[in-house]
Amino acid sequence: MLDRHNHVLQLIGVIVLALLILPLGIVVVTSFGTEPTISFPIKGFTLAWYANIWTQPAFVDGFQSSLTIALLASLLALLIGVPAVYALTRFDIPQKAWFQTLFLSPTLIPEIVIGFALYQTLVIAWRLPLWPSLLIGHLLLCLPYVIRLVTSSMLHLDPHIEEAAWTLGTSRPRAFFTIVLPNIRTSIVAAFMLCFINSFNNIPISLFLNGPSQNMLPTAILNYLQNNYDPTVSALSVVLMLFTAVLMLLMEKLLGVGALTTTETN
Amino acid sequence: MARLTLDSLAMTYGHGDPILHDLSLAVADGQLVSLLGPSGSGKTTTLRIIAGLLQQTSGTIKVDDEDISRVPVYKRGLSMVFQSYALFPHLTVFANVAYGLKRQKLSKADITAKVTAILQTTGLTDLAERYPQELSGGQQQRVALARALVVDPRLLLLDEPLSNLDAKLRVAMREEIRRLQLQLHTTTIFVTHDQEECFAISDKVAVLNQGKIEQYAAPEEIYHHPQTEFVARFIGFENFLPVNGTVADHAYRVGDQTVAVAGPTKPDAKVLTIRPNQIQLSPDDQGLSGQVTIRTYLGSAYRYTVDSPLGTLQIDGPTETPVAIGAPLHFTLPADQLLPLEA
Ligand SMILES: Nc1ncnc2c1ncn2[C@@H]1O[C@H](COP(=O)(O)OP(=O)(O)OP(=O)(O)O)[C@@H](O)[C@H]1O
Ligand SMILES: [Mg+2]
């Protein structure tokens, strides 16, 4: 019985993996094609499309803005989210549930609505420049990930370990950094990665807060695809995949083996 | 190594009912004092107030002559061992123990020396590089103790430190705690709801009932002379006979019976109490008689629930001569074992 279960599971695993990998594999292959339009299978091999990425200012600028916004939004989300979670889980705050809902609410609203609403308020009504508006939009996108992941690991953390640190002569802020933070590190790293990837990939919010002076990579790719259907986009996708993979590996190396792949248990 | 004085502590959480009322307690230097009481009686609350983890509503806490009532927890110099041990999961045993010393201005060599010494004392030397998750409950308990003791606290506060251990280990660990406490001469407050545990190791016991201390005395005194019905019940007295008057100066009236006691009667006595094993079975059908309604086997004895002219009584009898349910049981109440209680 168990054996059959295992086989079924394995089969499902293989199918899912195939569905994930196959399209990616095709993208990788098409990025080397010599045809002027994306086609599969390819007839010849060239690296020209990779070179072409760097000749497109929209891509280069877009990459830079997306990277900056994603990093800043993720960091800001952590700086706001982690203390907020700490307060919500450790102090008796009136209206606790209300705050919790507030912080998580961006996930409940379609992103396209958030983008539109922010455009209306920040850009049209308040006449805020695009860049800060974009940052705020991406911050809203990121905050729920931080709140959710960090809350669950804070709830798993025995509140007495912090108290033990205090009784041993450690002030509250110091105990936070030496005792709480190391124990919720995994969820912070995971939250950062999710924030970064989601912000970096986001289209709906960026779409509204984009402008000629402020281009984001995903929207730049969309724009490009509307006029061209050449393998530059495939090449760019491959570069992005590699970029993300390297980033993951770096985080994993910097923050300890297993930080991203294991779930927090203590 | 200090005296502790609690003076009229009161505590109310939020807008709820008061949890502690006018609680006062004096603990002499180097003593181990237990707070004994049922669940919800305010033991943890009291301990957390002493530690500074909770702010009392009123009253003062003094260590020696220093009033620490408003001193923040991290400046009190008291160590606490939590029921869950609360070891730092991301640190090794060694680093857990060294943690408190890092806040003191000590050289690295001094820290290592102190940690090594306490690990030796607590038998943890071989486990120094392990992480808490890799330790058994008893070992975690030792680490928690070592971590609390290494900083040389003025007071050691223990909140049911043995309740997560199995029965055998509990006995071994409580002796270990007592040994360390005597060796280091650390004034200690030990919270428990297990009377046997606290009688075994305490210099004095404070019995807590709904936020009030009912009796504060040496274990022997409490065992033999409980002052209130609550204390008596808590330490194994099962029979409480309501008194409705005295007969001369040697007996009380219970219902329509006369029960003789040793020594002069107290006019204010409300109940007479006696342990089930202090009531004597009379083999020759003398004395009072009752009917067995329940029989439970305790291993060393049978405990009978007996309907008698004095009311329902709990009586222990030998296992060699069991009495059947429904059968009559004859017994006498030894006059020198009956304890009159005034509250
Ligand atoms: N944070 C709190 N808010 C409100 N009431 C509380 C709080 N903590 C404890 N209480 C109440 O205070 C009373 C005493 O609790 P406390 O934890 O001191 O009891 P305890 O003697 O340690 O019991 P136990 O043996 O179960 O640990 C209980 O009635 C409890 O419900
Ligand atoms: Mg308690």
Side-chain angles (χ1 to χ4, degrees):
Chain A
M1 193 58 209
L2 206 72
D3 230 33
R4 179 166 317 158
H5 250 84
N6 269 340
H7 284 313
V8 173
L9 269 181
Q10 262 171 15
L11 190 69
I12 294 176
V14 168
I15 292 173
V16 168
L17 216 62
L19 283 175
L20 271 173
I21 303 261
L22 214 64
L24 292 181
I26 292 177
V27 168
V28 174
V29 173
T30 56
S31 74
F32 297 110
T34 43
E35 308 290 294
T37 57
I38 298 175
S39 51
F40 184 83
I42 55 173
K43 302 234 165 67
F45 181 89
T46 175
L47 289 174
W49 307 115
Y50 285 87
N52 193 39
I53 300 172
W54 316 107
T55 67
Q56 302 290 327
F59 287 163
V60 178
D61 293 351
F63 180 80
Q64 270 172 4
S65 336
S66 281
L67 187 65
T68 322
I69 291 276
L71 280 175
L72 279 179
S74 311
L75 280 177
L76 271 180
L78 285 179
L79 284 177
I80 297 171
V82 174
V85 169
Y86 182 78
L88 282 172
T89 50
R90 285 292 183 266
F91 299 117
D92 252 336
I93 294 175
Q95 330 290 300
K96 204 177 233 179
W98 188 85
F99 275 110
Q100 211 107 36
T101 319
L102 177 78
F103 281 126
L104 294 177
S105 56
T107 23
L108 304 176
I109 303 167
E111 283 173 21
I112 196 115
V113 177
I114 297 178
F116 178 64
L118 285 177
Y119 179 69
Q120 281 290 329
T121 342
L122 301 183
V123 182
I124 304 292
W126 297 358
R127 308 199 163 278
L128 227 57
L130 284 177
W131 194 82
S133 309
L134 259 174
L135 187 59
I136 293 174
H138 282 243
L139 175 63
L140 285 182
L141 180 78
C142 291
L143 216 43
Y145 292 105
V146 176
I147 302 287
R148 207 164 274 166
L149 284 166
V150 178
T151 299
S152 93
S153 79
M154 272 304 280
L155 291 179
H156 275 111
L157 195 66
D158 179 0
H160 295 316
I161 72 166
E162 225 182 320
E163 295 180 340
W166 304 340
T167 61
L168 291 168
T170 314
S171 66
R172 202 159 181 148
R174 196 183 203 120
F176 176 80
F177 285 106
T178 56
I179 299 299
V180 179
L181 222 43
N183 282 299
I184 57 171
R185 194 195 60 187
T186 312
S187 65
I188 289 181
V189 174
F192 181 85
M193 290 306 297
L194 277 176
C195 286
F196 181 85
I197 288 169
N198 272 285
S199 161
F200 195 79
N201 291 334
N202 182 270
I203 289 180
I205 291 178
S206 303
L207 211 53
F208 280 97
L209 304 169
N210 245 334
S213 64
Q214 196 57 64
N215 212 351
M216 303 294 277
L217 190 58
T219 44
I221 295 175
L222 266 189
N223 284 340
Y224 186 86
L225 275 176
Q226 276 166 1
N227 305 319
N228 319 270
Y229 197 65
D230 66 40
T232 310
V233 172
S234 296
L236 182 55
S237 307
V238 174
V239 171
L240 288 181
M241 275 192 261
L242 286 176
F243 171 72
T244 319
V246 168
L247 204 71
M248 290 266 207
L249 275 176
L250 262 179
M251 295 287 277
E252 178 103 35
K253 275 276 167 321
L254 284 177
L255 293 153
V257 179
L260 293 175
T261 39
T262 55
T263 44
E264 200 119 17
T265 48
N266 35 40
Chain B
M1 277 161 260
R3 281 173 292 121
L4 171 72
T5 316
L6 305 182
D7 189 16
S8 319
L9 281 188
M11 178 66 199
T12 306
Y13 287 105
H15 300 288
D17 295 329
I19 302 297
L20 303 181
H21 324 255
D22 195 25
L23 189 142
S24 301
L25 189 73
V27 180
D29 181 28
Q31 281 201 329
L32 191 156
V33 165
S34 289
L35 292 180
L36 175 68
S39 189
S41 56
K43 307 180 296 290
T44 300
T45 304
T46 309
L47 208 63
R48 290 173 65 82
I49 288 174
I50 300 172
L53 295 168
L54 268 181
Q55 186 66 52
Q56 70 276 20
T57 318
S58 64
T60 55
I61 307 154
K62 275 191 192 160
V63 174
D64 289 331
D65 293 316
E66 184 197 348
D67 184 342
I68 58 162
S69 310
R70 305 275 151 189
V71 175
V73 40
Y74 69 101
K75 287 188 181 156
R76 289 200 181 184
L78 322 177
S79 285
M80 181 147 171
V81 171
F82 296 82
Q83 194 172 344
S84 60
Y85 312 140
L87 300 180
F88 308 132
H90 63 298
L91 298 178
T92 61
V93 168
F94 190 95
N96 259 280
V97 176
Y99 184 85
L101 292 173
K102 297 239 168 85
R103 297 285 84 76
Q104 303 176 352
K105 308 258 173 299
L106 291 174
S107 73
K108 222 176 169 133
D110 282 349
I111 293 182
T112 310
K114 282 195 176 217
V115 174
T116 311
I118 197 84
L119 290 181
Q120 183 95 49
T121 318
T122 46
L124 290 165
T125 309
D126 296 339
L127 304 175
E129 295 314 313
R130 297 250 193 114
Y131 283 88
Q133 309 87 285
E134 303 164 355
L135 301 177
S136 72
Q139 292 166 339
Q140 290 185 27
Q141 169 69 66
R142 272 170 217 270
V143 178
L145 265 177
R147 184 180 69 178
L149 286 169
V150 75
V151 294
D152 224 342
R154 295 192 288 178
L155 282 184
L156 177 63
L157 308 171
L158 305 167
D159 191 357
E160 307 209 20
L162 307 178
S163 58
N164 289 337
L165 305 177
D166 65 50
K168 217 172 196 160
L169 201 53
R170 216 151 48 212
V171 174
M173 277 312 295
R174 77 184 187 209
E175 263 138 38
E176 178 98 9
I177 289 175
R178 181 57 160 171
R179 180 180 66 80
L180 284 168
Q181 186 266 332
L182 288 173
Q183 185 182 337
L184 303 172
H185 197 70
T186 312
T187 311
T188 301
I189 312 291
F190 183 95
V191 160
T192 181
H193 57 245
D194 181 337
Q195 55 121 336
E196 185 199 324
E197 188 171 292
C198 83
F199 281 9
I201 62 169
S202 309
D203 292 304
K204 284 178 103 176
V205 176
V207 183
L208 218 59
N209 177 25
Q210 300 192 345
K212 283 201 198 87
I213 293 182
E214 294 250 339
Q215 190 169 2
Y216 179 42
E220 296 83 354
E221 173 71 12
I222 289 188
Y223 188 84
H224 293 294
H225 302 287
Q227 268 168 5
T228 65
E229 182 174 337
F230 175 83
V231 175
R233 273 188 198 285
F234 204 72
I235 58 171
F237 286 84
E238 302 268 352
N239 300 302
F240 296 87
L241 314 175
V243 166
N244 44 23
T246 55
V247 180
D249 64 351
H250 68 280
Y252 291 96
R253 231 191 346 268
V254 176
D256 53 4
Q257 302 282 314
T258 302
V259 180
V261 295
T265 54
K266 300 181 188 171
D268 292 334
K270 291 205 174 67
V271 290
L272 286 176
T273 187
I274 187 163
R275 293 177 191 269
N277 60 3
Q278 291 172 328
I279 298 180
Q280 303 219 306
L281 300 193
S282 30
D284 47 1
D285 296 358
Q286 295 292 302
L288 292 155
S289 145
Q291 195 184 25
V292 174
T293 55
I294 299 172
R295 185 178 80 183
T296 26
Y297 181 55
L298 302 179
S300 57
Y302 281 112
R303 173 153 306 170
Y304 302 103
T305 303
V306 178
D307 271 343
S308 80
L310 294 171
T312 305
L313 296 177
Q314 304 287 327
I315 303 175
D316 285 359
T319 51
E320 297 81 38
T321 51
V323 180
I325 293 177
L329 190 92
H330 300 274
F331 61 93
T332 53
L333 301 175
D336 57 346
Q337 306 278 9
L338 279 162
L339 204 63
L341 298 176
E342 293 169 40

